[in-house]
Amino acid sequence: MKPLAFALAMTLGGSALAATTAFDVSELDSSIKACTDFNGFVNARWVAANPIPADRTRWGSFDALREDSLNVQRRIVEQAAREAGTAKPGSIEQKIGYLYASGMDVAAIERAGFDPVKPQLARIDALKTRADVVAYIRDSYARGEPVLFRFSGNADFKDSNRQIAYAGQGGLGLPTVDYYAKPDFAKIRTAYVAHIAKLLELTGVGAADAQQQAKAVLAFETRLAAVSLPPVEMRNPQNRYHYVSIAEADRVTPDFDWPAFFKAQGADVKDGFSLSQPKFFAEVQKMLGDMPLAQWQAYLRYHAIASAAPHLSTPFQQEDFAFNAQTLNGQKEMKPRWKRVLDATNDGMGMALGQLYVADNFSPTSKQRAEELVANLSAAFRTRIEQLEWMSDETKQKALQKWATFVPKIGYPDKWRDWSGLALTPTNYFGNVQAADKFNYDYAIAKIGKPVDRSEWGMTPQTVNAYYSAQKNEIVFPAAILQPPFFDAKADDAINYGGIGAVIGHEMGHGYDDQGSKFDAHGNNANWWTDADRTAFEARTAKLGAQFDGYEALPGKHVNGQLTMGENIGDLGGLNAAYTALQMALAKNPAKAQRKIDGYTQDQRFFLNWARVWRGNIRPEAQLTLLNTDPHAPAKFRAIGAPSNMPEFARAFQCKTVDAMVRDGAKQVRIW
């Protein structure tokens, strides 16, 4: 399951405003009616006053939170870099300091040019046979540098207590399979060929040869794309799991030699693994047999350079930015170097950095209060399941069994990872990145064949995000998201339930969305529904899909209601559960329930903060990419999608049935 892609802000708090009302009603746009466009009513003025920074593709309250988190992290890594020479040898402080300092050593990186990738390019040049190609791919993985397909360890879909190997489709340089065939993306394909050629030229390949190789790479990837599943189909768990014996896998790709691959990775694969998309691997086998060696070399050469480019000298960094950030996503300027190196530090040692982050950025009081909110949302979600009128008692009991096994994780892990095997130096940035990649890859692969560690986190504490894991049936809330506008210890209940409460409910809702509902209380991909209840569920989700299909994000470009289904179910269920939890809290304090703050009731403030969470703006290029790749609907539609289905919203703002923010009768969607 993909984590919930919240990108929400980190410190709107700390001001006099946060200490009093926690919501600035002067930001509301009175020229827009709440019942007509609730997102505009809450967010239009703020968006107009806060343009997208040049080094970003979007900007909103979530991005402001991330920016604040980055600034805190910057202080930590810069201190680590300054003190690395005197730090305890082998400590995480020293290693983080070395990694960050080496990335900031611009002079050394410029002197190196593309020297760090030359050994890899020389090996590609020396390939003579398809067996050589297979050996190169095998060795690339062993170095922690994946190419052609995806390989990882994960819990077995049929036995969530054991970790198995998964091999799946991959190897594409463009965002999705549609980019290789649809006329809409012809200009992107042309730009991609130019980008490939430019990177090749930077390593000394002649212009004409580079252009020819670039076209060969596009043709190579187009062939892979033709047998790859699009994002919507990859949402189906059955399309992500196909367990086979090693002998069966070798029959699909007889030239690949899976036993040799697993041995090179140190992967404990005995009885079998998931060859998740067999059609993809069958095509790889054909390509090993009929594709010219030169075309394989062009493909491997480009991806070796492209993978290394962000860590090489300036021309490579600039070309990487020009295509991946500027062309695909409309970003105007490259991020400052410290942010790029901080990204690499998080990629390489993110959980170690998180250990330093929480030491002075997350209080026990915040964790305790968040745990209380989780308990309150859990009680509300149970109540809503029990009161479902469309679900039979038989399925309800299974749903409640799943509810009873939810595991919440708040702030940071109970135990920290050991980094003692990672050796870094103060001067070799590319070498440090490679060392961290291999260390992390080996760490992940070593889990294959072992019991699943249910205490482990899949997200760092400094990440402004949250997620649900279907196979662990857990909901995880890193420290960085437990801040305003999500959570504010000084705010009234409505603000917190409309913020972090809805996030908590959202993550619980993932356990019952179009994917999560196909996993049982133990985290296994198993059907726990009666046929009639599944039919009723899918009828309701189809209506939600149609609602989001109707939202036009760009001229002529609509939201994909199937791609965004899980997140939309999470929003709808989560906001309803949070509202129920708020009412349960207010029932214990009738005086508070009747109190207005700045002229707004608790119900109104609940919905106001929900919409504020989703305020933001995005560049059209980035929006187009996300419409094709992101399982989350554009933020402005998340602000209005769930509330428009809730009679409670209509009552709070005295909306009429003819108003745009009211979906009633057959249009109204109620699921959880």
Side-chain angles (χ1 to χ4, degrees), residues 123 131-145 147 149 255-265 441:
R123 181 166 178 191
D132 291 344
V133 170
V134 170
Y136 174 85
I137 294 168
R138 183 169 61 230
D139 293 347
S140 291
Y141 269 93
R143 294 193 305 271
E145 299 169 1
V147 63
F149 61 91
D255 288 316
F256 192 74
D257 193 350
W258 287 101
F261 177 80
F262 294 139
K263 182 179 180 180
Q265 313 315 309
Y441 178 73

Side-chain angles (χ1 to χ4, degrees), residues 351 355 412-418 443 453-457:
M351 197 58 77
Q355 190 172 345
Y412 52 88
D414 292 330
K415 63 179 182 179
W416 296 104
R417 187 177 154 189
D418 179 13
Y443 175 81
D453 182 357
R454 294 183 177 270
S455 70
E456 192 169 50
W457 280 47

Side-chain angles (χ1 to χ4, degrees), residues 179-376:
Y179 281 72
Y180 291 89
K182 287 193 172 182
D184 290 3
F185 301 111
K187 290 183 179 179
I188 294 291
R189 290 193 291 275
T190 299
Y192 186 44
V193 169
H195 164 65
I196 297 169
K198 181 63 180 294
L199 281 181
L200 291 170
E201 287 181 53
L202 289 174
T203 64
V205 178
D209 187 13
Q211 183 70 14
Q212 184 177 356
Q213 289 191 49
K215 291 178 180 177
V217 172
L218 179 63
F220 186 105
E221 293 184 9
T222 300
R223 191 164 165 182
L224 288 181
V227 292
S228 299
L229 296 176
V232 168
E233 292 185 41
M234 286 291 283
R235 290 187 58 75
N236 185 343
Q238 292 184 349
N239 288 335
R240 303 199 304 274
Y241 181 87
H242 182 73
Y243 196 84
V244 297
S245 68
I246 295 176
E248 288 170 328
D250 272 341
R251 284 196 289 272
V252 176
T253 56
D255 288 316
F256 192 74
D257 193 350
W258 287 101
F261 177 80
F262 294 139
K263 182 179 180 180
Q265 313 315 309
D268 183 14
V269 179
K270 292 185 175 70
D271 56 340
F273 67 105
S274 177
L275 192 71
S276 299
Q277 293 85 37
K279 184 179 178 182
F280 174 89
F281 288 95
E283 185 64 17
V284 168
Q285 170 62 31
K286 292 178 183 176
M287 293 167 73
L288 284 169
D290 65 25
M291 185 163 279
L293 179 64
Q295 193 166 1
W296 274 98
Q297 288 174 303
Y299 172 79
L300 296 173
R301 187 177 293 117
Y302 161 65
H303 281 281
I305 301 167
S307 178
H311 313 300
L312 299 177
S313 58
T314 296
F316 292 90
Q317 296 170 42
Q318 289 177 336
E319 180 55 34
D320 174 68
F321 164 77
F323 180 73
N324 290 303
Q326 202 164 40
T327 299
L328 286 181
N329 293 296
Q331 188 171 319
K332 303 301 181 186
E333 294 179 3
M334 193 183 297
K335 291 180 184 177
R337 181 155 195 90
W338 72 265
K339 286 186 179 180
R340 288 179 277 136
V341 177
L342 182 56
D343 285 345
T345 305
N346 269 300
D347 288 342
M349 295 189 68
M351 197 58 77
L353 179 54
Q355 190 172 345
L356 303 182
Y357 173 89
V358 299
D360 61 359
N361 285 280
F362 190 63
S363 70
T365 302
S366 294
K367 183 167 185 172
Q368 180 182 356
R369 178 61 178 139
E371 289 170 343
E372 292 172 2
L373 285 166
V374 169
N376 294 346

Side-chain angles (χ1 to χ4, degrees), residues 390-452:
W390 58 269
M391 181 179 279
S392 69
D393 288 340
E394 180 181 351
T395 305
K396 272 186 191 179
Q397 290 308 308
K398 298 291 179 64
L400 290 170
Q401 286 175 18
K402 184 166 188 175
W403 167 86
T405 63
F406 269 133
V407 176
K409 295 180 177 178
I410 308 295
Y412 52 88
D414 292 330
K415 63 179 182 179
W416 296 104
R417 187 177 154 189
D418 179 13
W419 296 87
S420 58
L422 175 61
L424 301 179
T425 70
T427 56
N428 186 352
Y429 182 47
F430 192 86
N432 285 341
V433 170
Q434 281 187 311
D437 285 346
K438 178 168 175 53
F439 181 80
N440 289 321
Y441 178 73
D442 289 346
Y443 175 81
I445 297 306
K447 299 174 192 174
I448 294 171
K450 294 182 172 63
V452 170

Side-chain angles (χ1 to χ4, degrees), residues 474-497:
E474 66 182 13
I475 49 176
V476 183
F477 305 96
I481 200 172
L482 299 172
Q483 302 188 53
F486 291 108
F487 170 67
D488 184 347
K490 299 175 182 177
D492 49 301
D493 282 343
I495 294 298
N496 281 325
Y497 280 99

